[in-house]
Amino acid sequence: MLDKTGIAKRIAKEVKDGYYVNLGIGIPTLVANYVRSDIEVEFQSENGVLGMGPFPFEGEEDADVINAGKQTITTLPGASFFDSAMSFSMIRGQHVDLTILGAMEVAENGDIANWKIPGKMVKGMGGAMDLVASAENIIVAMMHTNKRGESKLLKQCSLPLTGVGCVKKIVTNMAVLEITDNGFKLLERAPGVSVEEIKNATEGNLIVNGDIPEMEL
């Protein structure tokens, strides 16, 4: 089974040369650390950065250079800074090739809930609303189950939705899954995880065709 770093490493394999990529807060922010060194990728953050690099080493942080999750970051040569209006023009204008988001729930039809838990105080949906409405390629990074062992891959989301039918692929600590018209299609399983375990941890319809390969990180 994967930890958060393992999830990020697997998602990094989905990043292609020349991509412009937006990283959501949480697990997605780790992806920039594991992208292949032989390709060129531009990471965008909706607070107004294009050209994010890996996280800084301890003692080398600059408190004025942060991502949308208020974490300190580094920037690569040629990076640029701009206001939120410009940033969301990039997002809404569909200039971002890949969006990687965290989620609390994903439904078998590609709905995503990642912004509000009833009874908890939140400031609002934020940039996720624009990302899920504009992006054509959304990968979700998440844990397969919650702390109580209950599935987060559902027939229907129980939490307030961020977007409808927008998720294309999910990478969890147990599996890589693709959203299809008939539900979650199992593509890969995490090291040491059986197909039966994934079935038991998935509430939504799970499609299993043939032998499922183990992930390569």
Side-chain angles (χ1 to χ4, degrees):
M1 200 173 294
L2 303 181
D3 58 9
K4 293 179 180 180
T5 297
I7 294 172
K9 285 181 177 179
R10 176 57 188 84
I11 292 177
K13 291 180 173 292
E14 301 289 326
V15 178
K16 309 299 183 188
D17 189 32
Y19 265 17
Y20 288 85
V21 181
N22 180 282
L23 300 177
I25 62 174
I27 298 173
T29 59
L30 301 173
V31 173
N33 294 335
Y34 302 109
V35 172
R36 284 167 36 202
S37 59
D38 62 332
I39 63 174
E40 290 190 13
V41 179
E42 296 285 350
F43 287 104
Q44 193 253 17
S45 184
E46 61 257 38
N47 60 315
V49 186
L50 187 64
M52 288 193 298
F55 285 123
F57 292 109
E58 188 173 350
E60 297 179 4
E61 303 94 338
D62 182 341
D64 291 324
V65 184
I66 60 173
N67 61 20
K70 301 182 178 63
Q71 297 167 303
T72 53
I73 57 170
T74 61
T75 54
L76 301 176
S80 58
F81 301 93
F82 35 84
D83 62 16
S84 290
M86 176 67 76
S87 179
F88 281 94
S89 291
M90 294 177 183
I91 293 166
R92 294 169 183 169
Q94 297 185 318
H95 302 293
V96 176
D97 298 298
L98 174 63
T99 297
I100 303 169
L101 296 173
M104 290 175 278
E105 294 178 347
V106 175
E108 62 185 35
N109 68 339
D111 292 353
I112 180 173
N114 78 342
W115 75 280
K116 183 176 176 62
I117 301 175
K120 295 286 182 73
M121 184 68 176
V122 292
K123 295 179 179 178
M125 193 180 292
M129 174 176 62
D130 297 88
L131 289 164
V132 300
S134 304
E136 294 185 350
N137 189 9
I138 297 175
I139 296 177
V140 168
M142 65 188 293
M143 293 298 167
H144 211 101
T145 59
N146 61 25
K147 292 178 181 178
R148 297 183 298 276
E150 298 165 341
S151 181
K152 297 167 70 172
L153 275 62
L154 309 173
K155 292 183 181 298
Q156 188 173 355
C157 292
S158 63
L159 297 173
L161 295 182
T162 312
V164 175
C166 55
V167 175
K168 296 292 188 291
K169 188 175 284 188
I170 307 156
V171 179
T172 76
N173 55 323
M174 299 181 76
V176 179
L177 308 105
E178 182 181 35
I179 297 291
T180 72
D181 292 338
N182 299 313
F184 300 107
K185 182 179 180 181
L186 182 59
L187 301 179
E188 301 172 20
R189 53 188 176 82
V193 177
S194 69
V195 172
E196 195 63 30
E197 287 175 305
I198 297 167
K199 285 180 179 178
N200 293 335
T202 307
E203 183 205 278
N205 187 44
L206 184 69
I207 302 163
V208 181
N209 293 329
D211 292 331
I212 305 300
E214 202 170 84
M215 287 185 213
E216 293 183 8
L217 302 179

